[in-house]
Short mmCIF file of all heavy atoms in Angstrom, two decimals:
data_model
loop_
_atom_site.label_atom_id
_atom_site.label_comp_id
_atom_site.label_asym_id
_atom_site.label_seq_id
_atom_site.Cartn_x
_atom_site.Cartn_y
_atom_site.Cartn_z
N MET A 153 17.83 36.35 -91.67
CA MET A 153 18.54 35.91 -90.47
C MET A 153 17.57 35.20 -89.54
O MET A 153 16.49 35.74 -89.26
CB MET A 153 19.15 37.13 -89.79
CG MET A 153 19.86 36.84 -88.53
SD MET A 153 21.03 38.17 -88.21
CE MET A 153 22.23 37.25 -87.32
N PRO A 154 17.88 34.01 -89.08
CA PRO A 154 16.96 33.26 -88.22
C PRO A 154 16.81 33.92 -86.85
O PRO A 154 17.70 34.59 -86.37
CB PRO A 154 17.59 31.87 -88.12
CG PRO A 154 19.01 32.06 -88.47
CD PRO A 154 19.09 33.24 -89.37
N ARG A 155 15.65 33.68 -86.24
CA ARG A 155 15.43 34.17 -84.90
C ARG A 155 16.31 33.40 -83.92
O ARG A 155 16.84 32.35 -84.25
CB ARG A 155 13.97 33.97 -84.49
CG ARG A 155 13.04 34.80 -85.29
CD ARG A 155 11.71 34.96 -84.64
NE ARG A 155 10.93 33.74 -84.61
CZ ARG A 155 9.74 33.63 -84.03
NH1 ARG A 155 9.23 34.66 -83.42
NH2 ARG A 155 9.09 32.51 -84.05
N LYS A 156 16.41 33.90 -82.73
CA LYS A 156 17.16 33.24 -81.66
C LYS A 156 16.22 32.41 -80.81
O LYS A 156 15.01 32.67 -80.77
CB LYS A 156 17.91 34.26 -80.80
CG LYS A 156 18.93 35.11 -81.58
CD LYS A 156 20.05 34.24 -82.08
CE LYS A 156 21.11 35.05 -82.78
NZ LYS A 156 22.20 34.27 -83.30
N LYS A 157 16.77 31.44 -80.12
CA LYS A 157 15.95 30.60 -79.22
C LYS A 157 15.24 31.43 -78.19
O LYS A 157 14.12 31.13 -77.81
CB LYS A 157 16.83 29.54 -78.55
CG LYS A 157 17.46 28.53 -79.48
CD LYS A 157 16.47 27.50 -79.93
CE LYS A 157 17.19 26.44 -80.78
NZ LYS A 157 16.40 25.24 -80.92
N ARG A 158 15.87 32.50 -77.70
CA ARG A 158 15.22 33.35 -76.69
C ARG A 158 13.95 33.97 -77.24
O ARG A 158 12.97 34.14 -76.53
CB ARG A 158 16.19 34.42 -76.15
CG ARG A 158 16.34 35.65 -76.97
CD ARG A 158 17.17 36.73 -76.31
NE ARG A 158 18.53 36.36 -76.01
CZ ARG A 158 19.54 36.33 -76.88
NH1 ARG A 158 19.33 36.68 -78.13
NH2 ARG A 158 20.75 35.97 -76.51
N GLU A 159 13.95 34.31 -78.54
CA GLU A 159 12.76 34.88 -79.17
C GLU A 159 11.66 33.83 -79.31
O GLU A 159 10.48 34.14 -79.18
CB GLU A 159 13.13 35.45 -80.51
CG GLU A 159 14.10 36.62 -80.45
CD GLU A 159 14.62 37.02 -81.80
OE1 GLU A 159 13.80 37.20 -82.72
OE2 GLU A 159 15.85 37.15 -81.94
N VAL A 160 12.05 32.58 -79.58
CA VAL A 160 11.07 31.50 -79.68
C VAL A 160 10.41 31.28 -78.31
O VAL A 160 9.18 31.18 -78.20
CB VAL A 160 11.76 30.19 -80.15
CG1 VAL A 160 10.83 29.00 -80.01
CG2 VAL A 160 12.24 30.32 -81.57
N ARG A 161 11.22 31.25 -77.25
CA ARG A 161 10.67 31.07 -75.90
C ARG A 161 9.76 32.22 -75.54
O ARG A 161 8.70 32.04 -74.96
CB ARG A 161 11.80 30.92 -74.91
CG ARG A 161 12.55 29.63 -75.02
CD ARG A 161 13.67 29.50 -73.98
NE ARG A 161 14.29 28.22 -74.06
CZ ARG A 161 15.48 27.99 -74.59
NH1 ARG A 161 16.17 28.99 -75.15
NH2 ARG A 161 15.98 26.77 -74.63
N ALA A 162 10.15 33.45 -75.89
CA ALA A 162 9.33 34.63 -75.60
C ALA A 162 8.00 34.58 -76.33
O ALA A 162 6.96 34.92 -75.76
CB ALA A 162 10.11 35.90 -75.95
N GLU A 163 8.02 34.14 -77.58
CA GLU A 163 6.76 34.08 -78.33
C GLU A 163 5.83 32.99 -77.75
O GLU A 163 4.62 33.20 -77.67
CB GLU A 163 7.00 33.79 -79.80
CG GLU A 163 5.71 33.76 -80.58
CD GLU A 163 5.82 34.02 -82.04
OE1 GLU A 163 6.94 34.17 -82.56
OE2 GLU A 163 4.77 34.07 -82.70
N LEU A 164 6.39 31.88 -77.33
CA LEU A 164 5.55 30.86 -76.69
C LEU A 164 4.89 31.42 -75.44
O LEU A 164 3.72 31.18 -75.21
CB LEU A 164 6.41 29.62 -76.35
CG LEU A 164 6.80 28.76 -77.55
CD1 LEU A 164 7.81 27.69 -77.09
CD2 LEU A 164 5.59 28.10 -78.18
N ARG A 165 5.64 32.19 -74.66
CA ARG A 165 5.06 32.80 -73.46
C ARG A 165 3.97 33.79 -73.83
O ARG A 165 2.93 33.86 -73.16
CB ARG A 165 6.14 33.46 -72.63
CG ARG A 165 7.06 32.47 -71.95
CD ARG A 165 8.08 33.15 -71.03
NE ARG A 165 8.98 32.17 -70.49
CZ ARG A 165 10.22 31.95 -70.92
NH1 ARG A 165 10.71 32.69 -71.91
NH2 ARG A 165 10.97 31.03 -70.36
N ARG A 166 4.19 34.57 -74.89
CA ARG A 166 3.14 35.52 -75.35
C ARG A 166 1.86 34.81 -75.77
O ARG A 166 0.78 35.34 -75.63
CB ARG A 166 3.68 36.37 -76.50
CG ARG A 166 4.49 37.57 -76.09
CD ARG A 166 4.70 38.54 -77.25
NE ARG A 166 5.43 37.96 -78.36
CZ ARG A 166 6.75 37.89 -78.47
NH1 ARG A 166 7.51 38.34 -77.51
NH2 ARG A 166 7.32 37.36 -79.52
N LEU A 167 2.03 33.59 -76.33
CA LEU A 167 0.86 32.82 -76.78
C LEU A 167 0.13 32.16 -75.60
O LEU A 167 -0.92 31.58 -75.79
CB LEU A 167 1.30 31.76 -77.77
CG LEU A 167 1.74 32.25 -79.14
CD1 LEU A 167 2.34 31.11 -79.96
CD2 LEU A 167 0.57 32.87 -79.88
N GLY A 168 0.69 32.23 -74.41
CA GLY A 168 0.03 31.66 -73.22
C GLY A 168 0.65 30.37 -72.74
O GLY A 168 0.12 29.74 -71.81
N PHE A 169 1.74 29.96 -73.32
CA PHE A 169 2.43 28.75 -72.85
C PHE A 169 3.15 29.08 -71.54
O PHE A 169 3.63 30.19 -71.34
CB PHE A 169 3.47 28.26 -73.88
CG PHE A 169 2.85 27.51 -75.02
CD1 PHE A 169 2.32 28.22 -76.10
CD2 PHE A 169 2.81 26.14 -75.06
CE1 PHE A 169 1.75 27.55 -77.18
CE2 PHE A 169 2.25 25.47 -76.12
CZ PHE A 169 1.74 26.17 -77.18
N VAL A 170 3.24 28.11 -70.68
CA VAL A 170 3.99 28.25 -69.43
C VAL A 170 5.09 27.20 -69.40
O VAL A 170 4.90 26.08 -69.92
CB VAL A 170 3.09 28.12 -68.18
CG1 VAL A 170 2.16 29.31 -68.07
CG2 VAL A 170 2.32 26.83 -68.18
N GLN A 171 6.19 27.55 -68.78
CA GLN A 171 7.31 26.62 -68.67
C GLN A 171 6.99 25.59 -67.62
O GLN A 171 6.53 25.95 -66.51
CB GLN A 171 8.58 27.38 -68.31
CG GLN A 171 9.80 26.53 -68.29
CD GLN A 171 11.07 27.35 -68.09
OE1 GLN A 171 11.07 28.55 -68.29
NE2 GLN A 171 12.12 26.70 -67.68
N VAL A 172 7.22 24.31 -67.94
CA VAL A 172 6.96 23.23 -66.99
C VAL A 172 8.15 23.09 -66.05
O VAL A 172 9.29 22.99 -66.51
CB VAL A 172 6.73 21.90 -67.77
CG1 VAL A 172 6.53 20.78 -66.82
CG2 VAL A 172 5.55 22.06 -68.71
N LYS A 173 7.90 23.14 -64.75
CA LYS A 173 8.96 22.98 -63.77
C LYS A 173 9.56 21.59 -63.90
O LYS A 173 8.84 20.59 -63.96
CB LYS A 173 8.42 23.15 -62.36
CG LYS A 173 8.20 24.55 -61.95
CD LYS A 173 9.38 25.01 -61.16
CE LYS A 173 9.01 26.28 -60.46
NZ LYS A 173 10.10 27.14 -60.23
N GLY A 174 10.87 21.51 -63.94
CA GLY A 174 11.54 20.22 -64.04
C GLY A 174 11.29 19.53 -65.35
O GLY A 174 11.53 18.32 -65.49
N GLY A 175 10.79 20.26 -66.33
CA GLY A 175 10.39 19.66 -67.60
C GLY A 175 11.49 19.59 -68.63
O GLY A 175 11.27 19.13 -69.74
N GLY A 176 12.67 20.08 -68.29
CA GLY A 176 13.76 20.04 -69.26
C GLY A 176 15.04 19.69 -68.58
O GLY A 176 15.25 19.94 -67.40
N LYS A 177 15.92 19.08 -69.34
CA LYS A 177 17.19 18.68 -68.78
C LYS A 177 18.28 19.40 -69.57
O LYS A 177 18.25 19.41 -70.80
CB LYS A 177 17.36 17.18 -68.91
CG LYS A 177 18.44 16.60 -68.08
CD LYS A 177 18.34 15.08 -68.08
CE LYS A 177 19.32 14.56 -67.04
NZ LYS A 177 19.28 13.10 -67.02
N GLY A 178 19.22 20.01 -68.88
CA GLY A 178 20.27 20.73 -69.58
C GLY A 178 19.70 21.96 -70.26
O GLY A 178 19.06 22.80 -69.62
N SER A 179 19.88 22.06 -71.56
CA SER A 179 19.44 23.24 -72.29
C SER A 179 18.02 23.10 -72.84
O SER A 179 17.58 23.94 -73.60
CB SER A 179 20.41 23.52 -73.46
OG SER A 179 20.37 22.45 -74.39
N HIS A 180 17.32 22.04 -72.46
CA HIS A 180 15.97 21.82 -72.95
C HIS A 180 14.95 22.53 -72.04
O HIS A 180 15.10 22.50 -70.81
CB HIS A 180 15.62 20.34 -73.01
CG HIS A 180 16.32 19.63 -74.11
ND1 HIS A 180 17.68 19.37 -74.08
CD2 HIS A 180 15.86 19.11 -75.26
CE1 HIS A 180 18.01 18.72 -75.19
NE2 HIS A 180 16.94 18.58 -75.91
N THR A 181 13.95 23.14 -72.62
CA THR A 181 12.87 23.81 -71.90
C THR A 181 11.56 23.26 -72.44
O THR A 181 11.36 23.20 -73.65
CB THR A 181 12.91 25.32 -72.10
OG1 THR A 181 14.25 25.79 -71.90
CG2 THR A 181 11.98 26.01 -71.16
N LYS A 182 10.67 22.86 -71.53
CA LYS A 182 9.39 22.27 -71.91
C LYS A 182 8.27 23.26 -71.61
O LYS A 182 8.22 23.83 -70.50
CB LYS A 182 9.19 20.98 -71.11
CG LYS A 182 8.10 20.10 -71.55
CD LYS A 182 8.12 18.81 -70.71
CE LYS A 182 7.28 17.74 -71.26
NZ LYS A 182 7.37 16.52 -70.43
N PHE A 183 7.39 23.47 -72.58
CA PHE A 183 6.28 24.41 -72.45
C PHE A 183 4.95 23.68 -72.62
O PHE A 183 4.86 22.79 -73.45
CB PHE A 183 6.40 25.53 -73.48
CG PHE A 183 7.54 26.48 -73.25
CD1 PHE A 183 8.77 26.27 -73.83
CD2 PHE A 183 7.36 27.56 -72.44
CE1 PHE A 183 9.82 27.14 -73.62
CE2 PHE A 183 8.42 28.45 -72.20
CZ PHE A 183 9.64 28.23 -72.80
N LYS A 184 3.94 24.16 -71.89
CA LYS A 184 2.59 23.57 -71.98
C LYS A 184 1.59 24.70 -72.03
O LYS A 184 1.72 25.69 -71.32
CB LYS A 184 2.34 22.68 -70.75
CG LYS A 184 0.94 22.12 -70.66
CD LYS A 184 0.73 21.01 -71.63
CE LYS A 184 -0.61 20.35 -71.42
NZ LYS A 184 -1.54 20.56 -72.48
N HIS A 185 0.58 24.54 -72.88
CA HIS A 185 -0.52 25.50 -72.94
C HIS A 185 -1.74 24.84 -72.33
O HIS A 185 -2.02 23.66 -72.64
CB HIS A 185 -0.80 25.92 -74.38
CG HIS A 185 -1.67 27.11 -74.49
ND1 HIS A 185 -3.04 27.04 -74.31
CD2 HIS A 185 -1.39 28.42 -74.73
CE1 HIS A 185 -3.56 28.24 -74.47
NE2 HIS A 185 -2.57 29.09 -74.71
N PRO A 186 -2.51 25.52 -71.50
CA PRO A 186 -3.67 24.90 -70.85
C PRO A 186 -4.75 24.41 -71.82
O PRO A 186 -5.50 23.50 -71.48
CB PRO A 186 -4.23 26.01 -69.94
CG PRO A 186 -3.43 27.22 -70.17
CD PRO A 186 -2.30 26.90 -71.07
N LYS A 187 -4.81 24.97 -73.02
CA LYS A 187 -5.86 24.58 -73.96
C LYS A 187 -5.39 23.54 -74.98
O LYS A 187 -6.22 23.08 -75.78
CB LYS A 187 -6.39 25.82 -74.72
CG LYS A 187 -7.09 26.81 -73.82
CD LYS A 187 -7.60 27.97 -74.62
CE LYS A 187 -8.29 28.97 -73.71
NZ LYS A 187 -8.76 30.13 -74.46
N LEU A 188 -4.13 23.20 -74.98
CA LEU A 188 -3.58 22.27 -75.97
C LEU A 188 -3.13 20.98 -75.30
O LEU A 188 -2.60 21.01 -74.20
CB LEU A 188 -2.43 22.90 -76.75
CG LEU A 188 -2.77 24.15 -77.56
CD1 LEU A 188 -1.53 24.73 -78.21
CD2 LEU A 188 -3.83 23.84 -78.60
N PRO A 189 -3.31 19.85 -75.96
CA PRO A 189 -2.99 18.56 -75.34
C PRO A 189 -1.53 18.14 -75.50
O PRO A 189 -1.18 17.02 -75.16
CB PRO A 189 -3.88 17.58 -76.13
CG PRO A 189 -4.00 18.17 -77.48
CD PRO A 189 -4.01 19.68 -77.24
N TYR A 190 -0.67 19.01 -75.97
CA TYR A 190 0.72 18.62 -76.20
C TYR A 190 1.70 19.61 -75.60
O TYR A 190 1.34 20.74 -75.25
CB TYR A 190 1.00 18.45 -77.70
CG TYR A 190 0.66 19.64 -78.56
CD1 TYR A 190 1.53 20.71 -78.70
CD2 TYR A 190 -0.56 19.70 -79.24
CE1 TYR A 190 1.22 21.78 -79.48
CE2 TYR A 190 -0.86 20.78 -80.04
CZ TYR A 190 0.01 21.83 -80.16
OH TYR A 190 -0.30 22.91 -80.93
N PHE A 191 2.94 19.17 -75.47
CA PHE A 191 4.02 20.01 -74.99
C PHE A 191 4.87 20.46 -76.17
O PHE A 191 4.89 19.81 -77.21
CB PHE A 191 4.93 19.20 -74.03
CG PHE A 191 4.29 18.79 -72.76
CD1 PHE A 191 3.67 17.56 -72.65
CD2 PHE A 191 4.29 19.64 -71.66
CE1 PHE A 191 3.07 17.16 -71.47
CE2 PHE A 191 3.67 19.25 -70.47
CZ PHE A 191 3.09 18.01 -70.37
N ILE A 192 5.58 21.54 -75.99
CA ILE A 192 6.57 21.98 -76.99
C ILE A 192 7.91 22.08 -76.26
O ILE A 192 8.02 22.74 -75.21
CB ILE A 192 6.21 23.34 -77.60
CG1 ILE A 192 4.94 23.21 -78.45
CG2 ILE A 192 7.37 23.88 -78.45
CD1 ILE A 192 4.47 24.47 -79.12
N ASN A 193 8.91 21.39 -76.77
CA ASN A 193 10.26 21.43 -76.23
C ASN A 193 11.11 22.36 -77.07
O ASN A 193 11.05 22.29 -78.31
CB ASN A 193 10.88 20.04 -76.22
CG ASN A 193 10.23 19.15 -75.19
OD1 ASN A 193 10.22 19.47 -74.02
ND2 ASN A 193 9.69 18.01 -75.63
N VAL A 194 11.89 23.18 -76.40
CA VAL A 194 12.85 24.04 -77.09
C VAL A 194 14.22 23.69 -76.56
O VAL A 194 14.47 23.80 -75.35
CB VAL A 194 12.54 25.55 -76.85
CG1 VAL A 194 13.53 26.41 -77.59
CG2 VAL A 194 11.11 25.87 -77.29
N ALA A 195 15.09 23.23 -77.43
CA ALA A 195 16.44 22.83 -77.03
C ALA A 195 17.44 23.89 -77.46
O ALA A 195 17.32 24.46 -78.54
CB ALA A 195 16.78 21.49 -77.66
N GLY A 196 18.42 24.13 -76.65
CA GLY A 196 19.47 25.07 -77.00
C GLY A 196 19.51 26.25 -76.08
O GLY A 196 18.60 26.55 -75.34
N GLN A 197 20.65 26.95 -76.13
CA GLN A 197 20.85 28.15 -75.32
C GLN A 197 20.14 29.34 -75.97
O GLN A 197 19.83 29.33 -77.14
CB GLN A 197 22.35 28.43 -75.20
CG GLN A 197 23.14 27.32 -74.56
CD GLN A 197 22.70 27.04 -73.12
OE1 GLN A 197 22.42 27.97 -72.37
NE2 GLN A 197 22.65 25.78 -72.74
N ASP A 198 19.90 30.36 -75.18
CA ASP A 198 19.14 31.54 -75.65
C ASP A 198 19.77 32.18 -76.91
O ASP A 198 19.04 32.67 -77.76
CB ASP A 198 19.05 32.59 -74.56
CG ASP A 198 17.99 32.26 -73.52
OD1 ASP A 198 17.14 31.40 -73.80
OD2 ASP A 198 18.01 32.89 -72.45
N GLY A 199 21.07 32.20 -77.01
CA GLY A 199 21.72 32.85 -78.14
C GLY A 199 21.84 32.02 -79.40
O GLY A 199 22.28 32.50 -80.42
N ASP A 200 21.43 30.73 -79.33
CA ASP A 200 21.50 29.87 -80.51
C ASP A 200 20.42 30.27 -81.53
O ASP A 200 19.36 30.76 -81.16
CB ASP A 200 21.27 28.40 -80.12
CG ASP A 200 22.38 27.84 -79.25
OD1 ASP A 200 23.45 28.46 -79.17
OD2 ASP A 200 22.16 26.79 -78.63
N ASP A 201 20.71 30.01 -82.80
CA ASP A 201 19.71 30.25 -83.85
C ASP A 201 18.57 29.24 -83.73
O ASP A 201 18.80 28.07 -83.43
CB ASP A 201 20.35 30.13 -85.24
CG ASP A 201 21.29 31.26 -85.56
OD1 ASP A 201 21.19 32.31 -84.92
OD2 ASP A 201 22.12 31.10 -86.47
N ALA A 202 17.35 29.70 -83.96
CA ALA A 202 16.20 28.82 -83.93
C ALA A 202 16.24 27.91 -85.16
O ALA A 202 16.63 28.32 -86.25
CB ALA A 202 14.92 29.62 -83.91
N MET A 203 15.83 26.68 -84.96
CA MET A 203 15.78 25.70 -86.05
C MET A 203 14.43 25.82 -86.73
O MET A 203 13.46 26.38 -86.20
CB MET A 203 15.97 24.29 -85.50
CG MET A 203 17.26 24.12 -84.71
SD MET A 203 18.72 24.44 -85.67
CE MET A 203 18.79 23.02 -86.70
N ARG A 204 14.34 25.25 -87.94
CA ARG A 204 13.10 25.29 -88.71
C ARG A 204 11.95 24.64 -87.92
O ARG A 204 10.82 25.13 -87.94
CB ARG A 204 13.33 24.58 -90.05
CG ARG A 204 12.11 24.50 -90.91
CD ARG A 204 11.75 25.87 -91.43
NE ARG A 204 10.39 25.81 -91.95
CZ ARG A 204 9.63 26.86 -92.15
NH1 ARG A 204 10.10 28.05 -91.91
NH2 ARG A 204 8.41 26.73 -92.60
N TYR A 205 12.25 23.54 -87.23
CA TYR A 205 11.18 22.87 -86.50
C TYR A 205 10.66 23.71 -85.32
O TYR A 205 9.50 23.58 -84.93
CB TYR A 205 11.61 21.47 -86.02
CG TYR A 205 12.85 21.41 -85.18
CD1 TYR A 205 12.82 21.71 -83.83
CD2 TYR A 205 14.07 21.02 -85.72
CE1 TYR A 205 13.95 21.64 -83.05
CE2 TYR A 205 15.21 20.95 -84.95
CZ TYR A 205 15.14 21.27 -83.61
OH TYR A 205 16.26 21.18 -82.84
N ASP A 206 11.48 24.59 -84.75
CA ASP A 206 11.01 25.52 -83.73
C ASP A 206 9.94 26.45 -84.31
O ASP A 206 8.89 26.66 -83.69
CB ASP A 206 12.15 26.35 -83.16
CG ASP A 206 13.16 25.54 -82.36
OD1 ASP A 206 12.73 24.62 -81.64
OD2 ASP A 206 14.36 25.82 -82.48
N GLU A 207 10.23 26.96 -85.50
CA GLU A 207 9.26 27.83 -86.18
C GLU A 207 7.99 27.05 -86.53
O GLU A 207 6.88 27.57 -86.41
CB GLU A 207 9.89 28.44 -87.44
CG GLU A 207 11.12 29.26 -87.20
CD GLU A 207 10.88 30.55 -86.44
OE1 GLU A 207 9.71 30.98 -86.32
OE2 GLU A 207 11.85 31.12 -85.96
N ASP A 208 8.16 25.80 -86.97
CA ASP A 208 6.99 24.97 -87.31
C ASP A 208 6.12 24.73 -86.09
O ASP A 208 4.88 24.72 -86.18
CB ASP A 208 7.43 23.64 -87.92
CG ASP A 208 8.08 23.79 -89.27
OD1 ASP A 208 7.92 24.86 -89.90
OD2 ASP A 208 8.78 22.84 -89.71
N HIS A 209 6.74 24.50 -84.91
CA HIS A 209 5.98 24.29 -83.68
C HIS A 209 5.13 25.50 -83.33
O HIS A 209 3.97 25.39 -82.95
CB HIS A 209 6.91 23.94 -82.52
CG HIS A 209 7.54 22.60 -82.65
ND1 HIS A 209 8.72 22.30 -82.05
CD2 HIS A 209 7.19 21.47 -83.31
CE1 HIS A 209 9.06 21.05 -82.30
NE2 HIS A 209 8.14 20.53 -83.08
N ILE A 210 5.74 26.69 -83.48
CA ILE A 210 5.01 27.93 -83.20
C ILE A 210 3.85 28.12 -84.18
O ILE A 210 2.73 28.46 -83.78
CB ILE A 210 5.95 29.14 -83.21
CG1 ILE A 210 6.87 29.07 -81.99
CG2 ILE A 210 5.17 30.45 -83.23
CD1 ILE A 210 7.92 30.16 -81.95
N THR A 211 4.11 27.87 -85.44
CA THR A 211 3.07 28.01 -86.47
C THR A 211 1.90 27.06 -86.17
O THR A 211 0.74 27.46 -86.25
CB THR A 211 3.64 27.71 -87.87
OG1 THR A 211 4.72 28.62 -88.12
CG2 THR A 211 2.59 27.87 -88.94
N GLN A 212 2.21 25.82 -85.83
CA GLN A 212 1.16 24.85 -85.52
C GLN A 212 0.38 25.24 -84.27
O GLN A 212 -0.84 25.13 -84.23
CB GLN A 212 1.75 23.45 -85.33
CG GLN A 212 0.72 22.35 -85.13
CD GLN A 212 -0.20 22.20 -86.33
OE1 GLN A 212 0.27 22.14 -87.46
NE2 GLN A 212 -1.48 22.14 -86.10
N ALA A 213 1.08 25.72 -83.24
CA ALA A 213 0.40 26.14 -82.02
C ALA A 213 -0.54 27.33 -82.29
O ALA A 213 -1.65 27.36 -81.78
CB ALA A 213 1.45 26.52 -80.96
N LYS A 214 -0.09 28.26 -83.11
CA LYS A 214 -0.96 29.39 -83.47
C LYS A 214 -2.21 28.90 -84.19
O LYS A 214 -3.32 29.39 -83.95
CB LYS A 214 -0.20 30.39 -84.36
CG LYS A 214 0.78 31.24 -83.61
CD LYS A 214 1.46 32.19 -84.61
CE LYS A 214 2.39 33.15 -83.91
NZ LYS A 214 3.04 34.05 -84.87
N LYS A 215 -2.03 27.95 -85.09
CA LYS A 215 -3.17 27.39 -85.84
C LYS A 215 -4.14 26.72 -84.85
O LYS A 215 -5.36 26.91 -84.94
CB LYS A 215 -2.66 26.36 -86.84
CG LYS A 215 -3.08 26.64 -88.28
CD LYS A 215 -2.75 25.50 -89.17
CE LYS A 215 -1.37 25.71 -89.80
NZ LYS A 215 -1.03 24.70 -90.78
N ASP A 216 -3.61 25.93 -83.95
CA ASP A 216 -4.44 25.20 -83.01
C ASP A 216 -5.16 26.14 -82.04
O ASP A 216 -6.25 25.82 -81.57
CB ASP A 216 -3.60 24.19 -82.21
CG ASP A 216 -3.07 23.07 -83.08
OD1 ASP A 216 -3.60 22.87 -84.21
OD2 ASP A 216 -2.13 22.38 -82.66
N LEU A 217 -4.55 27.28 -81.75
CA LEU A 217 -5.15 28.26 -80.84
C LEU A 217 -6.07 29.24 -81.57
O LEU A 217 -6.77 30.00 -80.95
CB LEU A 217 -4.06 29.04 -80.10
CG LEU A 217 -3.26 28.25 -79.08
CD1 LEU A 217 -2.05 29.07 -78.62
CD2 LEU A 217 -4.12 27.86 -77.88
N GLY A 218 -6.04 29.22 -82.89
CA GLY A 218 -6.87 30.13 -83.67
C GLY A 218 -6.34 31.57 -83.67
O GLY A 218 -7.11 32.52 -83.79
N VAL A 219 -5.04 31.70 -83.55
CA VAL A 219 -4.43 33.05 -83.52
C VAL A 219 -4.00 33.43 -84.91
O VAL A 219 -3.48 32.70 -85.68
CB VAL A 219 -3.20 33.08 -82.56
CG1 VAL A 219 -2.54 34.44 -82.60
CG2 VAL A 219 -3.64 32.73 -81.15
#
């Protein structure tokens, strides 16, 4: 069973990402990590199933952070 978008957002916060104020429109949320040069966008409501690319973004961020 796929994770929910709320779990994806929670994991990004645990990794040290912070939500960018005004960084998302509608159901989009933009996250930035102080040590990484890129943003991660998460689209969808909290109860929606996470997409494969959401999982890929988290995996890549963990790799880049050395976690």
Side-chain angles (χ1 to χ4, degrees):
M153 178 158 209
R155 293 199 290 177
K156 299 294 183 182
K157 295 283 185 163
R158 81 174 60 80
E159 297 171 49
V160 170
R161 290 182 175 103
E163 182 157 4
L164 287 171
R165 288 185 184 102
R166 276 193 298 275
L167 290 171
F169 282 82
V170 291
Q171 185 173 342
V172 177
K173 281 262 194 210
K177 195 170 190 180
S179 64
H180 288 71
T181 311
K182 192 175 193 179
F183 290 92
K184 175 75 174 112
H185 193 282
K187 295 181 181 178
L188 298 177
Y190 55 83
F191 294 93
I192 293 180
N193 289 302
V194 181
Q197 300 298 321
D198 282 344
D200 294 345
D201 289 341
M203 304 300 286
R204 178 70 195 161
Y205 56 80
D206 292 321
E207 301 292 345
D208 292 344
H209 290 155
I210 289 176
T211 302
Q212 185 62 47
K214 285 181 176 179
K215 236 189 267 185
D216 293 344
L217 290 169
V219 177

